[in-house]
């Protein structure tokens, strides 16, 4: 492993607890090293190694942090290496969903609960509920005044990510084109009265979660009490979106892309978009997310330059609005993928609707990207009491 190593005696009781789990089954501690965020151990038994990462901070480990750890394990040449992530405060729901979906055999997750370590993956029991008590649905608007940057794609797959996490989701289609309605209907037509998609649960013992597509007029909170997330695919024409709904947004996600020809225009469109939403809703978190991200190595330098340019163009606006941000792509982004590009092919083929979460070689980049985005959004929302907006 690459980081600086220095074997030393385990210091904290937590490390002692980790060792107390592994030593009785024959593992020895062969190295221990530390960085700002975590204490790392390598344990060894015959030809097998386990990399244990103990997160120092007392906060939930996110899907993105877990993904980085998995990637670091996969990059090691040692094929017999598996990983164990230990967290004092557990894992976010998206992080657990991602691991369960990947059914990773090389990973174990331990959480510290009431002074003891317990396994949350692979689990012996249901992970303890990580959700806040149910109040009202979380409203997420997907909006930008620019056309064709991925609003519908993001709305649909963000719904998919929340459904994978067990949430019942409603997608409201404010776009007169009714693309979402067509994408989720059984016959590819906008005339389907109430298109639905059942997303199977990651855990076979649980029921799946339902995604419903509704017109804004069909939506009543009291009619669907089980719904936890409402995602609104907005029309790029602001006046076509119901002001009542916009006022209800807890979060507004604005897709944008990193391409040189559009970038100055994007910054301008984004600033206007931010201002548009703010005029109606003073509390929503406004979050721009990079879509169509090219994650290949040779694009990295250009991406960094374009990102810095975009950030500097938005800096003046961000100074005036502390609840607006450009999500750093290393925290959450949506990569370019063929799966997303060809989403909707089922309409042409006349087959059943599906999300672009199909796995290739055991992984799905859209799935992990959208889980990470869901995780980031949930972590940055402060549910406001909604003084200004009446129930819809
Ligand atoms: N990450 C991605 N990778 C590959 N293709 C993508 C990605 N995101 C979006 N696309 C493709 O870009 C096109 C436009 O996306 P989409 O329809 O979601 O945009 P939109 O903002 O909703 O457009 P409109 O303003 O017309 O409603 C679609 O063909 C979609 O498949
Ligand atoms: Mg659209």
């Amino acid at each position: 492993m690459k980081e600086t190593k220095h074997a030393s005696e385990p210091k904290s009781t937590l490390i002692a607890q980790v060792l107390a789990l592994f030593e009785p089954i024959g593992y020895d501690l062969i190295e221990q090293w530390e960085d700002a965020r975590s204490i790392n151990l390598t344990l060894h038994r015959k030809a097998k190694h386990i990399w244990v990462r103990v997160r120092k901070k007392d906060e939930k480990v996110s899907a993105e942090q877990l993904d980085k750890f998995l990637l670091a394990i996969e990059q090691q040449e040692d094929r017999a290496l598996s990983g164990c992530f230990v967290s004092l405060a557990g894992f976010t729901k998206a992080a657990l969903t991602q691991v369960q979906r990947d059914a990773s055999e090389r990973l174990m997750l331990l959480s510290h609960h009431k002074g003891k370590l317990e396994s949350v993956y692979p689990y012996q029991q249901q992970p303890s509920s990580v959700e806040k008590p149910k109040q009202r649905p979380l409203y997420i608007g997907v909006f930008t005044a620019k056309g064709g940057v991925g609003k519908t794609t993001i709305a649909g797959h963000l719904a998919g990510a929340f459904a994978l996490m067990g949430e019942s989701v409603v997608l409201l289609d404010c776009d007169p084109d009714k693309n979402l309605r067509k994408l989720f209907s059984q016959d590819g037509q906008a005339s389907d009265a109430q298109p639905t998609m059942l997303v199977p649960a990651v855990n076979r013992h649980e029921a799946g979660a339902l995604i419903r597509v509704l017109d804004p007029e069909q939506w009543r909170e009291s009619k669907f009490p089980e719904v936890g997330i409402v995602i609104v695919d907005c029309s790029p024409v602001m006046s076509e979106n119901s002001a009542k709904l916009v006022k209800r947004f807890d979060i507004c996600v604005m897709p944008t892309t990193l391409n040189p020809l559009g970038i100055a225009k994007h910054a301008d469109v984004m600033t206007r978009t931010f201002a548009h939403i703010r005029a109606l809703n003073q509390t929503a978190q406004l979050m721009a997310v990079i879509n169509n991200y090219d994650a290949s190595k040779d694009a990295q330098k250009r991406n960094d330059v374009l990102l810095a340019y975009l950030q500097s163009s938005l800096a003046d606006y961000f100074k005036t609005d502390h609840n607006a941000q450009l999500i750093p792509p290393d925290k959450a982004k949506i990569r370019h993928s063929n799966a997303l590009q060809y989403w909707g092919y089922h309409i042409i083929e006349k087959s059943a609707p599906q999300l672009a979460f199909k796995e290739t070689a055991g992984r799905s980049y859209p799935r992990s990207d959208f889980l990470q985005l869901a995780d980031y959004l949930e972590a940055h929302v402060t549910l406001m009491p909604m003084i200004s907006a009446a129930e819809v």
Side-chain angles (χ1 to χ4, degrees):
M1 282 159 215
K2 278 170 233 134
E3 289 150 90
T4 44
K5 305 157 203 175
H6 47 86
S8 67
E9 280 304 304
K11 288 172 256 172
S12 71
T13 49
L14 189 57
I15 303 295
Q17 281 183 8
V18 171
L19 293 178
L21 273 182
F22 287 98
E23 281 175 347
I25 51 170
Y27 281 94
D28 294 320
L29 173 67
I30 54 167
E31 58 187 5
Q32 178 173 340
W33 74 101
E34 196 167 329
D35 56 33
R37 291 192 198 91
S38 54
I39 301 169
N40 294 270
L41 316 171
T42 308
L43 305 176
H44 171 250
R45 176 179 168 239
K46 295 190 180 147
K48 223 174 145 31
H49 288 105
I50 300 178
W51 178 352
V52 182
R53 170 164 288 177
V54 181
R55 183 100 182 141
K56 288 180 183 168
K57 252 194 168 169
D58 194 2
E59 63 183 27
K60 285 199 181 103
V61 171
S62 69
E64 177 255 331
Q65 287 158 345
L66 212 53
D67 210 40
K68 277 194 181 143
F69 182 53
L70 249 183
L71 208 68
I73 288 172
E74 284 170 359
Q75 279 167 355
Q76 302 293 322
E77 277 170 15
D78 180 357
R79 294 283 124 217
L81 175 73
S82 40
C84 172
F85 208 124
V86 185
S87 164
L88 283 166
F91 300 82
T92 64
K93 212 167 175 194
L96 287 173
T97 306
Q98 184 163 307
V99 172
Q100 288 161 5
R101 281 303 308 217
D102 289 348
S104 176
E105 285 164 13
R106 291 172 74 182
L107 196 65
M108 177 180 189
L109 309 180
L110 298 177
S111 178
H112 205 240
H113 185 62
K114 293 189 180 154
K116 284 204 320 216
L117 279 179
E118 64 180 34
S119 166
V120 289
Y121 177 85
Y123 44 46
Q124 290 111 24
Q125 58 185 69
Q126 290 296 322
S128 58
S129 176
V130 289
E131 283 168 288
K132 36 195 177 317
K134 183 154 170 53
Q135 303 155 335
R136 58 172 185 83
L138 180 75
Y139 280 76
I140 304 174
V142 185
F143 176 71
T144 171
K146 196 169 189 305
V149 284
K151 290 181 292 296
T152 301
T153 307
I154 288 183
H157 290 85
L158 195 54
F162 279 113
L164 278 177
M165 290 157 69
E167 292 280 4
S168 168
V169 187
V170 156
L171 271 167
L172 297 183
D173 193 355
C174 287
D175 196 324
D177 285 348
K178 298 288 165 221
N179 279 338
L180 268 184
R181 183 165 274 276
K182 290 176 207 153
L183 284 158
F184 279 81
S185 77
Q186 293 302 320
D187 56 3
Q189 304 293 316
S191 51
D192 188 344
Q194 213 183 90
T196 53
M197 183 187 283
L198 182 71
V199 178
V202 281
N203 178 356
R204 272 178 292 132
H205 311 296
E206 286 172 14
L210 202 65
I211 304 177
R212 285 189 186 83
V213 183
L214 299 177
D215 285 339
E217 310 79 60
Q218 296 174 296
W219 168 242
R220 290 277 174 286
E221 274 171 26
S222 50
K223 242 173 98 182
F224 303 94
E226 74 288 3
V227 168
I229 309 277
V230 178
I231 298 178
V232 187
D233 182 21
C234 297
S235 160
V237 183
M238 188 62 179
S239 56
E240 286 177 352
N241 300 305
S242 138
K244 208 170 159 191
L245 266 180
V246 176
K247 283 182 184 160
R248 204 112 174 104
F249 290 170
D250 300 291
I251 302 173
C252 188
V253 175
M254 284 163 228
T256 188
T257 50
L258 286 182
N259 54 308
L261 288 186
I263 213 159
K265 220 163 127 194
H266 277 187
D268 185 45
V269 171
M270 281 162 72
T271 312
R272 274 192 286 124
T273 304
F274 283 134
H276 255 321
I277 301 280
R278 266 294 167 261
L280 285 170
N281 181 327
Q282 281 77 51
T283 52
Q285 298 286 326
L286 310 183
M287 303 202 205
V289 63
I290 308 288
N291 184 26
N292 245 317
Y293 190 87
D294 179 353
S296 63
K297 261 219 158 75
D298 50 307
Q300 195 175 337
K301 206 168 152 219
R302 273 172 290 164
N303 282 343
D304 289 346
V305 172
L306 292 169
L307 192 68
Y309 186 84
L310 185 59
Q311 250 151 356
S312 71
S313 320
L314 295 169
D316 280 345
Y317 179 80
F318 289 154
K319 273 187 214 147
T320 65
D321 187 344
H322 295 294
N323 284 330
Q325 62 164 302
L326 175 61
I327 302 177
D330 61 336
K331 297 292 176 210
K333 62 180 170 292
I334 308 301
R335 283 171 275 197
H336 174 83
S337 68
N338 281 342
L340 289 175
Q341 176 154 352
Y342 292 107
W343 184 50
Y345 194 70
H346 61 267
I347 298 180
I348 315 289
E349 252 190 351
K350 299 200 188 318
S351 56
Q354 54 188 305
L355 294 166
F357 285 167
K358 209 168 155 226
E359 289 169 13
T360 349
R363 296 203 101 182
S364 156
Y365 289 117
R367 190 178 67 210
S368 43
D369 285 353
F370 281 99
L371 280 171
Q372 285 181 28
L373 179 61
D375 206 355
Y376 190 88
L377 300 182
E378 277 207 318
H380 289 80
V381 69
T382 33
L383 274 180
M384 292 291 177
M386 292 285 171
I387 303 155
S388 55
E391 194 208 307
V392 256

